[in-house]
Amino acid sequence: MSTDRIRIYKFGGASVKNAGAFRNLAEIVKVHGGKRQLLIVVSAMGKTTNALEVVMDQAYKQQDFEAAFQQIKAYHYEVLQELFPAPGSLLYHRLEKTFMLLHDDLQQLTPTADYDQAYDQVVSYGELLSSTILHHYLLDQELFNTWVDSRKYIQTDGTWREAKVDWLLTERLIKSDLPPILEEQLVVTQGFLGGTGNGLTTTLGREGSDFSAAIFAFCLDAAGMYIWKDVEGLLNADPKYFKDTVCYPEISYQETVEMAYYGASVIHPKTIKPLANKQIPLFVKSFIIPTGKGTKICDCRFDKPAPAYIIKENQCLVSFSVKDFTFISEKNLGTIFNALSEQRIKINLMQNSAISFSVCTDFNEQRLNRLIQALHDTFVIHYNTALTLFTVKNYDTESLNRVLENKEILLEQRTRTTYQFVSR
Ligand code: ASP
Ligand code: MG
């Protein structure tokens, strides 16, 4: 077999959220993976990552984390018991040990630890658990597979919670080990995780499993990457917020990357570049109706795709004004940008006026406090939280009317193709 037949399947939290979902996943692998060489990337089960964030935060603040910890454990055991009704297997033992390690890690946390570094060590358990269960379950279904620790392959720096990939090293490691395994059997590995040279775990950013899958796709020169989701394909809006969504049958890498940048939660923003660089098509497909057409993302052009509506919640609008009624200068802007970059606060939208400069960013209380600390001597700083950033890509009058109804706008911006506003 040649390596050009390798496919990457990525299954997110929803596709392993309960025993039924695991069964469905195995069926997809059986029917659609066929005899192909397949590498499976899996996220943490359901909302486990959110739950681990809570436990980690409690442990860090020296609060009682026992209840939240037990809840995560019970959730995993419930799924396990349904998938493997006969207890006492190797898997129960492995899981018990993993939960013990997690508990130890939590107990050892102190408020003096680097929060973001500790976060990666703790939150990564979600994927370690889900991939272990999946590995055993597929074996049980006679889908022979090897469990691969992605932390040994995706090598990163120590930018905790948003690690940067060392591409050359990662590619070398993946290329040297995985193709021979893939010729023999399936590979099951974790999304979201990476590792540093000195053996610590890193994460690639929330929802980063798509990116993990793209890294494997790139390094293995895959024939295609497939994201299995609970929607029919790539939609022009989140069905949670909009009725009458449309599914794009085919869309370009460029359009997709822009949608992801503006905050469409369909695909992690970093996913597209590695795929586009090697012209690897990305298929977004439904795990509910796997025979559906889904969306093909590739190097295609369309004159004007249907308008896309993108909503980013939990936004914060921060405005900086100079204290002495002089104008905002380029030097002031330099100071603000430097501080933002130092605190790793990303700008989603920005605007300047004569005496002030405003940025809309994701709300992160700790980072915002540090930013204010750094800049409050130089600027008067005001901010609003709990805001929403709306983006309409490829807008027209009708689509704008649709989103603007009953909105109080705090800031707006428009280019020829894109309309954005921040509202309460
Ligand atoms: N489990 C991680 C998260 O929820 C990564 C992912 O799902 O892609 O953010
Ligand atoms: Mg997820």
Side-chain angles (χ1 to χ4, degrees):
M1 270 193 223
S2 68
T3 53
D4 65 4
R5 295 189 52 215
I6 295 175
R7 305 272 195 296
I8 313 294
Y9 278 13
K10 182 261 172 174
F11 291 99
S15 36
V16 283
K17 68 169 190 234
N18 54 32
F22 271 93
R23 286 190 202 107
N24 185 54
L25 189 166
E27 198 56 30
I28 289 175
V29 171
K30 247 182 227 164
V31 175
H32 300 270
K35 300 231 171 308
R36 290 163 166 176
Q37 298 191 47
L38 206 61
L39 180 138
I40 300 170
V41 173
V42 68
S43 302
M45 281 166 45
K47 304 271 177 236
T48 299
T49 306
N50 293 352
L52 284 165
E53 282 185 345
V54 172
V55 176
M56 139 81 199
D57 197 66
Q58 290 173 342
Y60 185 85
K61 293 176 178 154
Q62 307 290 294
Q63 296 164 355
D64 183 8
F65 61 82
E66 219 46 61
F69 172 82
Q70 290 304 337
Q71 214 173 358
I72 298 175
K73 192 169 165 183
Y75 169 47
H76 282 77
Y77 273 86
E78 196 184 298
V79 173
L80 197 64
Q81 266 148 16
E82 213 184 312
L83 292 176
F84 300 92
S89 71
L90 177 71
L91 178 56
Y92 279 85
H93 184 69
R94 245 181 108 172
L95 237 64
E96 193 59 41
K97 214 174 126 193
T98 311
F99 275 108
M100 260 163 59
L101 291 172
L102 169 59
H103 199 268
D104 286 351
D105 281 3
L106 290 166
Q107 245 166 358
Q108 280 158 23
L109 267 178
T110 59
T112 52
D114 177 325
Y115 190 95
D116 290 346
Q117 178 176 341
Y119 173 102
D120 281 358
Q121 311 319 304
V122 168
V123 168
S124 51
Y125 276 91
E127 271 70 13
L128 295 174
L129 288 161
S130 64
S131 63
T132 303
I133 297 177
L134 182 61
H135 163 68
H136 284 267
Y137 183 63
L138 292 181
L139 282 183
D140 194 59
Q141 298 301 301
E142 296 185 0
L143 289 161
F144 297 105
N145 70 93
T146 303
W147 184 89
V148 160
D149 187 340
S150 62
R151 298 171 299 179
K152 296 207 162 68
Y153 290 94
I154 298 185
Q155 294 297 299
T156 71
D157 69 359
T159 311
W160 312 111
R161 300 177 73 166
E162 213 172 326
K164 305 280 171 301
V165 176
D166 178 341
W167 283 94
L168 284 179
L169 181 55
T170 299
E171 187 171 15
R172 201 173 72 227
L173 292 168
I174 289 178
K175 272 212 164 90
S176 78
D177 281 7
L178 299 190
I181 304 177
L182 283 159
E183 283 195 18
E184 301 294 327
Q185 47 181 260
L186 304 167
V187 166
V188 171
T189 193
Q190 313 76 41
F192 188 45
L193 313 188
T196 62
N198 53 7
L200 288 171
T201 302
T202 53
T203 61
L204 304 173
R206 284 304 308 266
E207 305 303 326
S209 297
D210 295 343
F211 181 39
S212 303
I215 297 169
F216 282 107
F218 178 91
C219 296
L220 291 164
D221 296 304
M225 169 172 152
Y226 296 71
I227 297 182
W228 296 91
K229 294 186 74 78
D230 56 0
V231 286
E232 59 181 309
L234 184 64
L235 306 179
N236 72 328
D238 187 336
K240 270 196 300 245
Y241 303 102
F242 287 88
K243 305 192 293 245
D244 322 318
T245 52
V246 291
C247 175
Y248 300 108
E250 213 173 275
I251 193 161
S252 68
Y253 292 122
Q254 166 99 29
E255 280 289 334
T256 314
V257 115
E258 287 177 15
M259 280 163 67
Y261 172 83
Y262 291 127
S265 59
V266 271
I267 291 166
H268 188 275
K270 290 184 184 163
T271 310
I272 300 299
K273 184 174 184 288
L275 300 177
N277 283 356
K278 289 208 177 166
Q279 299 282 308
I280 300 167
L282 169 60
F283 301 89
V284 182
K285 289 179 72 81
S286 155
F287 63 69
I288 301 162
I289 310 167
T291 47
K293 278 204 156 28
T295 300
K296 180 180 183 185
I297 300 161
C298 55
D299 202 1
C300 58
R301 298 261 162 260
F302 278 104
D303 291 344
K304 203 169 185 319
Y309 304 90
I310 302 149
I311 290 181
K312 229 168 149 45
E313 287 182 320
N314 198 19
Q315 297 295 294
C316 163
L317 190 61
V318 195
S319 68
F320 307 88
S321 339
V322 274
K323 290 191 163 167
D324 54 3
F325 292 99
T326 54
F327 298 135
I328 280 269
S329 70
E330 282 67 19
K331 195 152 173 285
N332 293 143
L333 293 179
T335 309
I336 296 168
F337 284 134
N338 273 333
L340 286 165
S341 153
E342 239 152 59
Q343 300 311 329
R344 292 169 53 195
I345 298 178
K346 282 201 208 91
I347 301 173
N348 295 330
L349 192 70
M350 60 186 174
Q351 206 161 71
N352 67 319
S353 72
I355 55 159
S356 83
F357 178 68
S358 304
V359 291
C360 172
T361 73
D362 293 351
F363 177 59
N364 175 319
E365 195 174 0
Q366 289 185 328
R367 291 181 190 180
L368 180 64
N369 286 338
R370 289 199 294 257
L371 179 80
I372 294 172
Q373 199 63 32
L375 293 177
H376 78 282
D377 284 344
T378 322
F379 302 97
V380 179
I381 304 170
H382 293 288
Y383 69 89
N384 290 303
T385 58
L387 304 176
T388 304
L389 171 63
F390 286 82
T391 303
V392 187
K393 228 180 145 306
N394 306 311
Y395 65 87
D396 53 21
T397 320
E398 193 194 324
S399 52
L400 290 192
N401 289 341
R402 194 170 167 190
V403 287
L404 284 168
E405 217 182 340
N406 306 323
K407 299 280 176 3
E408 182 198 344
I409 297 179
L410 279 76
L411 189 152
E412 71 182 317
Q413 228 168 63
R414 179 193 302 242
T415 69
R416 261 176 299 173
T417 57
T418 308
Y419 177 77
Q420 294 188 284
F421 66 94
V422 182
S423 93
R424 264 188 233 282

